[in-house]
Amino acid sequence: FLTSLFYYLPMFALAAVVIKAVVNLIAYDVALSLYEVKKWDFLCWLVACLGTLFIGPLQGIGIAVALSILIVIYESARPQLVELRRVPGTEIYRSTEQEDRGERASNILIIRLGASLYFGNVAYVKGNLLQHIEDASKKEPIHHIVLEMCSVHTVDSTAVHLLKDIVDDFRGRGIQTVFAMVGPRVMKTFHKAELVSFIGENSFFPAVCDAVQGCLLSGSGKDGLPRLRSALEIAASRDVLPEVGISNCIHQQYTQVNIFVPRAIPGLVELFNSVFVTKGCNVEGAQVDHLHHTYYLLM
């Protein structure tokens, strides 16, 4: 009943009232935050906003939902594959993007698969693995490839079939395929698909460090390919030597010193601390796990 009072108001005045009421509905600070955090999320926000303004609320939201589904499919079809290297002085393997001083095992390529395997991404994984092998072969011949599968929670039948093709293809290239940290759910699927018997039980290891040791201690089989040793053989034949590693990549604030000793020695922690203090280093923290010592230093 008050609309008649606004009849003689100029159009720009009415527009100012509408803009003032609508501007609070647009969370532009959220948009800026999404743009800084992840561009894909900002794109979905922008599509939803523009679609709502120029087409309609339901249509705009529907387009944004469809775009989000396409983004999920795109990212799941292109899982991340990263090369791992050992942190000096430890049995920890980290991505080369995180640990630039990591040690690379001789003639061994270690790759972490970043997502579950299914029919939509396994071909991409195979192509990416071949590219990694080609790049690594420029520096030294590759005899083993270790696939770290802690992030692979499930595989489908198509992925299992293509994994057999990948293993067979690598065998033709003289490369032995080794699996590490395979989850129980995936391992159950491998057994049902007879992938374990096809590859060999000695090609599966509980940790990356065990897989690397199995590759390093392998001999030649009847088919000319390397014969991997089991975990028990590795434990019986492993050479235990002291080792020291230094890294600034794990903790940006501190210099991390990793020390491995072959046997427990009383007073070793105090000895290491005194050496660090003598060299002018402040020991901000220390962790001792039996034979593995980790110290955080401020230089």
Side-chain angles (χ1 to χ4, degrees):
F1 62 93
L2 295 178
T3 54
S4 59
L5 299 177
F6 297 95
Y7 181 79
Y8 296 102
L9 281 177
M11 294 299 294
F12 67 86
L14 290 175
V17 173
V18 174
I19 292 174
K20 178 61 177 178
V22 173
V23 71
N24 295 327
L25 300 178
I26 302 176
Y28 61 90
D29 54 337
V30 175
L32 294 176
S33 176
L34 292 176
Y35 184 82
E36 293 293 334
V37 174
K38 194 169 185 180
K39 303 298 188 296
W40 283 121
D41 295 339
F42 172 76
L43 179 61
C44 291
W45 180 93
L46 184 62
V47 169
C49 181
L50 296 179
T52 301
L53 289 176
F54 296 103
I55 303 177
L58 294 180
Q59 294 85 345
I61 295 175
I63 295 173
V65 170
L67 179 61
S68 299
I69 294 175
L70 291 177
I71 291 174
V72 170
I73 295 174
Y74 173 79
E75 292 188 344
S76 64
R78 299 171 62 87
Q80 185 181 26
L81 275 70
V82 295
E83 182 182 353
L84 303 182
R85 294 186 183 181
R86 189 173 68 90
V87 178
T90 71
E91 293 184 346
I92 300 173
Y93 285 80
R94 292 170 58 87
S95 167
T96 53
E97 299 176 357
Q98 299 173 308
E99 184 60 48
D100 55 359
R101 297 184 181 179
E103 294 181 352
R104 186 174 185 176
S106 178
N107 306 117
I108 302 174
L109 179 63
I110 308 170
I111 300 295
R112 171 181 291 159
L113 305 182
S116 296
L117 302 177
Y118 71 107
F119 67 93
N121 65 7
V122 68
Y124 171 82
V125 169
K126 180 179 180 180
N128 211 318
L129 288 176
L130 291 174
Q131 185 62 47
H132 277 285
I133 291 176
E134 181 180 349
D135 294 339
S137 299
K138 296 178 181 179
K139 301 177 181 179
E140 61 177 359
I142 300 299
H143 299 157
H144 300 87
I145 179 169
V146 179
L147 301 181
E148 197 255 53
M149 303 185 66
C150 66
S151 299
V152 180
H153 303 296
T154 181
V155 294
D156 65 2
S157 57
T158 304
V160 172
H161 178 72
L162 284 180
L163 280 176
K164 288 183 179 180
D165 291 342
I166 290 173
V167 172
D168 198 41
D169 185 8
F170 288 171
R171 283 176 178 174
R173 301 169 185 263
I175 301 173
Q176 182 76 16
T177 306
V178 182
F179 293 86
M181 302 181 70
V182 182
R185 184 178 178 183
V186 175
M187 200 67 181
K188 184 178 180 180
T189 304
F190 283 175
H191 277 292
K192 289 183 178 180
E194 298 182 353
L195 183 62
V196 176
S197 59
F198 176 77
I199 300 175
E201 292 186 358
N202 286 349
S203 296
F204 292 84
F205 294 86
V208 176
C209 59
D210 295 326
V212 172
Q213 287 294 326
C215 296
L216 293 175
L217 298 175
S218 62
S220 298
K222 296 181 180 180
D223 53 1
L225 291 172
R227 187 190 70 84
L228 295 169
R229 297 192 180 189
S230 64
L232 292 177
E233 293 176 311
I234 294 171
S237 59
R238 179 180 290 181
D239 294 329
V240 181
L241 298 173
E243 195 171 7
V244 178
I246 301 175
S247 175
N248 288 318
C249 297
I250 300 178
H251 294 277
Q252 299 296 332
Q253 184 178 0
Y254 306 108
T255 297
Q256 179 171 325
V257 179
N258 303 297
I259 303 175
F260 171 77
V261 292
R263 58 188 179 88
I265 302 175
L268 200 57
V269 176
E270 290 77 8
L271 176 61
F272 288 149
N273 281 325
S274 63
V275 171
F276 294 142
V277 172
T278 302
K279 298 298 181 179
C281 302
N282 295 324
V283 182
E284 297 296 322
Q287 295 178 355
V288 179
D289 182 13
H290 191 42
L291 304 179
H292 294 273
H293 295 241
T294 302
Y295 298 90
Y296 303 99
L297 308 180
L298 283 178
M299 310 301 289

